[in-house]
Amino acid sequence: MNQPVVRLHSLRSVQLGVPDVTACSDFYSEVWGLSVVEKDTDDTWLRGSGPDHHVLQLSRSERNALGRISFAVRTPAEVDEAARRLVAQGVPLLREPGPLDDAGAGYGLVLVDPEGRRIELSCDVHSVTPRSRDLPVPIGVTHVVLNTVDIDRAVAFYTQVLGMRVSDWSEHQMAFLRCNTDHHSIAFNQAAWTSVNHVAYEMVSMDHFMRGIGSLKHHGITPLWGPGRHGPGNNTFSYFADPAGLVCEYTSDVAQVVEDQWLCRVWRRVPELSDLWGTAGPPSTDVRTHMAGVEDLGALADEVVAS
């Protein structure tokens, strides 16, 4: 078995393609609690209260799509070594190692996973001064759930190639993968097509989580599902839809994993385990439709067009 190409430090940011960047930017900056750090005609970069230069990039697109998921690694040497190992394993690179021309700068590469997702490995990205944690605003992105047509292949790639570890399963429907002590940074959901299921934003505490929900209510926005507390991960949840229809989540209190002590388990998919509090009930048809998204071939779409 091949050794993982790199040791991921954390989930840094997510890029989403949306048809109306202005509407989504206004939502995330004026309602959701993020702040614009840079913008141009087709892109907006937004930060949370933490030190990351940006945690969300919104880019103009004909339809909703995943641009890329960015993971932090520690040094340029790790990026270079990852590239060498990726090439040796036949994993395609969209961007060779080098200085990044993104708003946050840094040094990195972009690879393509088996379903066409663009994954960035980067280091030396600009940081910003952390904001006060008194306000009920997100620290940053804590996890992304991805719909997959082959959950076993997806899990194999992210564990064997990118070195992530499986924390838990929800039957054979969902897999929760970690790259640090957080229970999951990526989760895969078996689905009919490849797409973004939702993006989750970490709140400082349960109090901030509830105050954030209250702030959204003040803006006339109610949850698609929640508030509640999941079984896998033990995190609080409340899901909303942004102007593009993409699902965004407030969450807090995610389980912390102690390596060599954590026991991976298979959870049953029943309402009392999807919401331990019993406050949210099972997900509705509406929230499931939003989470299904639209089929997104990612980088593979370019090959389809070219052929």
Side-chain angles (χ1 to χ4, degrees):
M1 181 182 296
N2 293 322
Q3 292 295 314
V5 302
V6 71
R7 182 175 181 83
L8 304 177
H9 178 261
S10 61
L11 174 62
R12 188 194 302 280
S13 64
V14 178
Q15 179 190 24
L16 298 174
V18 294
D20 191 336
V21 172
T22 299
C24 286
S25 177
D26 289 347
F27 169 80
Y28 283 105
S29 61
E30 298 175 8
V31 179
W32 194 248
L34 303 181
S35 299
V36 175
V37 285
E38 294 192 44
K39 64 189 306 182
D40 59 25
T41 304
D42 295 319
D43 295 89
T44 301
W45 292 264
L46 301 105
R47 62 165 295 186
S49 65
D52 287 320
H53 175 271
H54 64 276
V55 300
L56 176 64
Q57 179 182 348
L58 298 169
S59 301
R60 196 173 311 281
S61 173
E62 291 184 0
R63 55 192 288 180
N64 291 345
L66 175 66
R68 66 181 179 276
I69 299 173
S70 180
F71 288 98
V73 300
R74 295 191 180 278
T75 66
E78 290 184 58
V79 174
D80 292 341
E81 179 62 15
R84 187 188 68 77
R85 295 184 180 187
L86 286 165
V87 170
Q89 295 186 30
V91 177
L93 297 182
L94 280 183
R95 176 183 289 178
E96 298 286 340
L100 300 174
D101 55 6
D102 199 9
Y107 185 91
L109 62 80
V110 178
L111 63 98
V112 182
D113 82 359
E115 291 180 285
R117 301 180 191 89
R118 301 170 178 90
I119 305 298
E120 180 182 88
L121 309 180
S122 59
C123 64
D124 295 347
V125 173
H126 294 332
S127 60
V128 291
T129 302
R131 296 164 55 193
S132 169
R133 293 194 171 192
D134 294 336
L135 297 175
V137 300
I139 301 170
V141 173
T142 182
H143 68 257
V144 183
V145 175
L146 302 166
N147 295 319
T148 176
V149 298
D150 189 339
I151 195 167
D152 293 317
R153 181 176 65 166
V155 169
F157 182 86
Y158 280 75
T159 55
Q160 296 172 17
V161 178
L162 297 181
M164 302 189 80
R165 285 86 69 198
V166 177
S167 297
D168 282 314
W169 286 84
S170 178
E171 296 187 3
H172 195 234
Q173 179 64 38
M174 290 190 71
F176 301 86
L177 281 66
R178 67 185 185 275
C179 64
N180 50 31
T181 59
D182 286 348
H183 178 269
H184 57 287
S185 298
I186 295 289
F188 288 102
N189 175 61
Q190 181 68 42
W193 52 72
T194 300
S195 60
V196 176
N197 185 288
H198 69 267
V199 178
Y201 298 81
E202 181 186 8
M203 304 298 271
V204 173
S205 66
M206 191 187 304
D207 179 70
H208 289 75
F209 166 79
M210 293 303 296
R211 288 166 58 200
I213 296 171
S215 177
L216 289 176
K217 183 177 180 181
H218 177 75
H219 285 87
I221 299 172
T222 57
L224 292 173
W225 185 33
R229 183 183 288 277
H230 287 313
N234 196 48
N235 53 300
T236 63
F237 68 86
S238 196
Y239 298 92
F240 301 84
D242 71 12
L246 292 164
V247 179
C248 45
E249 176 191 6
Y250 279 159
T251 189
S252 67
D253 299 350
V254 65
Q256 296 298 295
V257 172
V258 178
E259 296 293 342
D260 301 326
Q261 296 182 24
W262 183 266
L263 295 178
C264 177
R265 61 180 287 191
V266 179
W267 293 75
R268 292 182 299 122
R269 295 183 64 78
V270 292
E272 59 267 29
L273 295 180
S274 65
D275 174 22
L276 299 178
W277 288 345
T279 53
S284 66
T285 300
D286 183 42
V287 72
R288 289 185 183 279
T289 299
H290 276 85
M291 288 180 170
V294 295
E295 185 174 13
D296 180 8
L297 296 176
L300 298 181
D302 299 332
E303 298 179 10
V304 173
V305 172
S307 62

